[in-house]
Amino acid sequence: MGIATRCSLRGWLRAPGSLSKRVAALGQRFEVQVLRQEVAPLRQLERRALGLPRSGCTVVREVLLRVDGRPLVWARSALHAVALKGPWKAVKGLGSRPLGHLLYEDPRIQRSELQPRRLARQGHTRRQMLKQWQAATGAEASPQMLWSRNSVFTRRGAQLRVMELFVPELANYKPGSLRRRKPVR
């Protein structure tokens, strides 16, 4: 089912612009539930994407994006702590506001190409997501929740990496549309 899930989520994995706005369009009430925002170790893929050395403090923010109470996206953003004193200082005060509002308000912020990626079923990121999902929702995350998209935002030379992981049910909706997709037969 892995390849089928990716194909059906392709629109979401490749959709440009603000994911928060696209997800919010699916219902009446959109909310960002902050699961964690703290200094944490940077993972190898994040370090590579941000071009950072092994050492140094990293700020990680993990959230659930919910529509009408339903969690649809688990997201993780990471940046070097030095960037919080400079170009990305607004991240500290985001609270439950979407990161997308910050990323798309400033036309000087550049985004890398979106990189779809299948998570390892037993990888650290997936285990972290499963634990947080259970604690936040009281239910287990779908075993098919494996496809994410990754990108790096650059502002005045400082970089912020964002990873967004989708529930498989989003495949039933076109990004930015309330219309359900026609079932594949």
Side-chain angles (χ1 to χ4, degrees):
M1 169 112 179
I3 296 297
T5 301
R6 176 180 175 223
C7 290
S8 57
L9 282 172
R10 187 175 308 246
W12 289 95
L13 294 170
R14 297 280 185 199
S18 172
L19 177 66
S20 299
K21 285 184 180 178
R22 290 180 192 288
V23 170
L26 297 176
Q28 299 298 312
R29 188 172 50 97
F30 173 77
E31 63 185 304
V32 176
Q33 180 182 0
V34 179
L35 305 171
R36 173 171 88 135
Q37 183 166 330
E38 62 189 25
V39 173
L42 199 60
R43 299 192 182 138
Q44 183 178 3
L45 287 173
E46 292 167 333
R47 212 172 32 250
R48 206 174 317 142
L50 296 172
L52 296 175
R54 287 189 170 274
S55 61
C57 295
T58 304
V59 175
V60 170
R61 181 175 192 251
E62 294 166 337
V63 301
L64 282 180
L65 303 184
R66 293 175 175 261
V67 173
D68 298 332
R70 284 190 50 225
L72 298 175
V73 176
W74 181 85
R76 174 182 167 99
S77 54
L79 68 154
H80 199 276
V82 171
L84 281 178
K85 296 177 182 146
W88 295 109
K89 64 183 172 187
V91 171
K92 282 194 286 192
L94 270 179
S96 61
R97 290 185 320 232
L99 179 61
H101 289 170
L102 173 66
L103 298 175
Y104 295 99
E105 286 177 358
D106 186 343
R108 295 171 295 180
I109 294 174
Q110 296 178 341
R111 182 184 205 173
S112 70
E113 183 178 330
L114 289 166
Q115 300 291 322
R117 182 170 168 265
R118 186 180 190 279
L119 294 183
R121 285 192 185 273
Q122 301 303 319
H124 184 76
T125 299
R126 182 153 165 78
R127 288 193 315 267
Q128 175 76 8
M129 179 277 295
L130 291 171
K131 183 174 80 174
Q132 288 180 340
W133 192 278
Q134 177 75 40
T137 68
E140 291 185 14
S142 166
Q144 298 305 318
M145 194 171 173
L146 296 169
W147 284 99
S148 69
R149 68 182 199 173
N150 305 272
S151 57
V152 175
F153 293 85
T154 304
R155 183 171 189 232
R156 293 191 348 235
Q159 295 180 313
L160 169 83
R161 181 180 185 261
V162 176
M163 190 224 34
E164 299 150 330
L165 182 62
F166 301 93
V167 298
E169 293 79 16
L170 275 176
N172 295 325
Y173 297 91
K174 291 182 180 180
S177 170
L178 295 176
R179 296 185 312 258
R180 289 178 74 79
R181 289 185 190 269
K182 292 181 181 176
V184 178
R185 296 180 200 259

